Amino acid sequence: MIKIDEEKTIHLTRGDSATIVVTAQNYDGSNYEFQKGDTLRLKVMSKKKVEEIVLTKDIIIDSNKESVEIELTSDETRIGDYINKPVTYWYEIELNPNNNSTTIIGYDDDGPKQFKLYPEGKNGEK
């Protein structure tokens, strides 16, 4: 299960694969066009501990386009140990994090952007 709500909170079941579609706008409100060779980075951090990064995913953009898909695998979303209740992390998405970084989605006047991880059932025998 993945759901992204109007506050840009990502709701995801631990161990699920997911695709996050990212778009951006220019200052004039027009759609931003990502350029071939740009890097888009998703960074998930422990809540209130931005120095504790639990997931980083870089996407190298292969052609000029207005939207980019960040695909997460099941292994990538198995953050930490099994959980019995939702765990909230913070996240940000940056454009070109190593050169003239621009945060597209992140902590702003409305507060942190949340990445909520929901429990998954353990695989295996009873």
Side-chain angles (χ1 to χ4, degrees):
M1 169 206 84
I2 184 168
K3 180 178 101 176
I4 302 174
D5 65 24
E6 60 278 353
E7 283 96 29
K8 298 182 183 157
T9 298
I10 297 171
H11 302 264
L12 181 65
T13 300
R14 184 182 183 276
D16 279 6
S17 59
T19 301
I20 300 167
V21 178
V22 179
T23 59
Q25 291 187 329
N26 295 305
Y27 288 110
D28 66 5
S30 62
N31 291 335
Y32 176 79
E33 185 174 72
F34 297 98
Q35 301 298 303
K36 181 179 180 177
D38 281 348
T39 300
L40 198 64
R41 175 176 290 163
L42 167 69
K43 188 171 14 178
V44 180
M45 304 149 283
S46 294
K47 181 179 177 180
K48 298 184 182 181
K49 296 180 182 177
V50 295
E51 69 279 4
E52 290 183 14
I53 299 168
V54 298
L55 173 65
T56 301
K57 178 80 176 213
D58 285 353
I59 302 298
I60 307 298
I61 298 167
D62 59 1
S63 64
N64 295 3
K65 52 184 138 186
E66 291 185 358
S67 66
V68 177
E69 294 182 351
I70 300 174
E71 294 187 22
L72 299 175
T73 66
S74 296
D75 286 340
E76 290 170 328
T77 67
R78 285 194 175 99
I79 299 169
D81 293 326
Y82 283 97
I83 54 177
N84 293 311
K85 61 182 180 179
V87 175
T88 300
Y89 297 92
W90 290 354
Y91 79 95
E92 64 184 19
I93 297 177
E94 297 174 272
L95 177 62
N96 296 320
N98 299 319
N99 183 21
N100 283 334
S101 175
T102 301
T103 301
I104 294 175
I105 301 172
Y107 204 115
D108 59 19
D109 289 340
D110 295 326
K113 297 303 170 251
Q114 297 184 14
F115 187 98
K116 289 188 136 185
L117 203 60
Y118 292 87
E120 72 168 326
K122 184 174 181 180
N123 292 329
E125 297 180 23
K126 295 181 184 178

